[in-house]
Amino acid sequence: DSGVTQTPKHLITATGQRVTLRCSPRSGDLSVYWYQQSLDQGLQFLIQYYNGEERAKGNILERFSAQQFPDLHSELNLSSLELGDSALYFCASSSRSENIQYFGAGTRLSVL
Amino acid sequence: AQTVTQSQPEMSVQEAETVTLSCTYDTSESDYYLFWYKQPPSRQMILVIRQEAYKQQNATENRFSVNFQKAAKSFSLKISDSQLGDAAMYFCAYDSGANSKLTFGKGITLSVRP
């Protein structure tokens, strides 16, 4: 168990809908990262938050947004969903001192 | 931009034998971190081993060791005494440091023959 919790494990929705993925980092970790894993794009970095502030942005679509709350949990919001958004979405967290990212079990999103 | 290349899509090894998974990367930085992550069928991403670029000594973790060649920008993973539980997808990843994002290779699927 990595200590990073992601909910839900699975999400099935329709095109055009909006979903929210939730991540609770390991106790004490201030950094949260979101990654998308798909068959055609592989594992891609989406966005990073550090102590509530956006720190880095990767290949994140404008339809996607994220935030990190004062209790350090993070949410990834995906809207106007398309078939191509079907993927496994991972959250990871790290501490400033260790520089190792620990991954949650992922949320599998299926857009039908 | 940094890139990570894993050119072998699949490999197979006999149980109890040794296998080496290859990875190359491209960067203009001198200080960075390299990782191998394992993704079994459960899809969980599990850290296998980490190497800090400023350390010349190759990292080892039990049956797992790396061959880090900084000048060649090569970072291979050696698995000794392979076990059935080692069957998984293995990803090589690069981190420029200071808790930045991970850049992943495409991964390699390792199968272990009993």
Side-chain angles (χ1 to χ4, degrees):
Chain A
D1 184 4
S2 67
V4 179
T5 303
Q6 286 189 249
T7 56
K9 283 189 169 41
H10 302 279
L11 206 44
I12 302 174
T13 188
T15 54
Q17 295 299 303
R18 173 189 170 94
V19 296
T20 297
L21 282 52
R22 183 187 167 101
C23 170
S24 294
R26 292 187 321 155
S27 177
D29 284 356
L30 300 180
S31 276
V32 169
Y33 310 77
W34 287 97
Y35 293 87
Q36 179 194 58
Q37 184 178 26
S38 62
L39 279 174
D40 52 345
Q41 298 290 331
L43 264 161
Q44 289 208 61
F45 166 72
L46 295 178
I47 196 164
Q48 177 196 1
Y49 277 82
Y50 179 81
N51 202 20
E53 301 288 326
E54 182 185 303
R55 183 161 177 180
K57 233 173 182 175
N59 299 321
I60 188 165
L61 300 171
E62 284 191 12
R63 300 183 285 109
F64 296 1
S65 65
Q67 54 184 326
Q68 186 179 27
F69 295 86
D71 67 352
L72 300 178
H73 92 271
S74 178
E75 292 181 357
L76 179 67
N77 300 295
L78 315 177
S79 61
S80 302
L81 285 167
E82 302 175 358
L83 295 177
D85 298 328
S86 296
L88 189 53
Y89 291 85
F90 284 108
C91 166
S93 74
S94 71
S95 67
R96 191 176 184 85
S97 58
E98 200 177 17
N99 209 85
I100 292 175
Q101 292 186 30
Y102 295 92
F103 283 75
T107 293
R108 179 168 293 284
L109 173 66
S110 298
V111 182
L112 305 178
Chain B
Q2 294 86 11
T3 57
V4 177
T5 302
Q6 294 179 255
S7 55
Q8 309 153 303
E10 295 179 357
M11 284 198 76
S12 180
V13 64
Q14 191 75 35
E15 195 175 5
E17 297 294 309
T18 296
V19 65
T20 299
L21 310 182
S22 301
C23 172
T24 59
Y25 59 94
D26 189 25
T27 182
S28 57
E29 302 185 16
S30 59
D31 205 11
Y32 48 87
Y33 297 82
L34 295 164
F35 302 85
W36 280 96
Y37 279 88
K38 170 185 178 181
Q39 188 178 41
S42 66
R43 295 297 193 181
Q44 175 80 50
M45 292 290 286
I46 302 165
L47 176 67
V48 175
I49 202 163
R50 178 180 81 152
Q51 175 77 44
E52 294 147 333
Y54 65 87
K55 288 187 177 177
Q56 291 187 332
Q57 187 171 6
N58 288 323
T60 62
E61 287 288 342
N62 301 314
R63 297 184 295 107
F64 299 87
S65 61
V66 298
N67 183 3
F68 173 50
Q69 301 288 327
K70 192 172 183 179
K73 294 179 183 171
S74 169
F75 182 60
S76 59
L77 175 69
K78 185 170 86 170
I79 306 174
S80 303
D81 186 26
S82 296
Q83 300 175 359
L84 295 178
D86 294 333
M89 192 152 211
Y90 287 81
F91 291 93
C92 179
Y94 170 98
D95 177 355
S96 64
N99 297 93
S100 66
K101 67 175 185 179
L102 289 172
T103 300
F104 287 91
K106 289 188 182 301
I108 178 169
T109 301
L110 177 68
S111 58
V112 181
R113 305 185 302 275

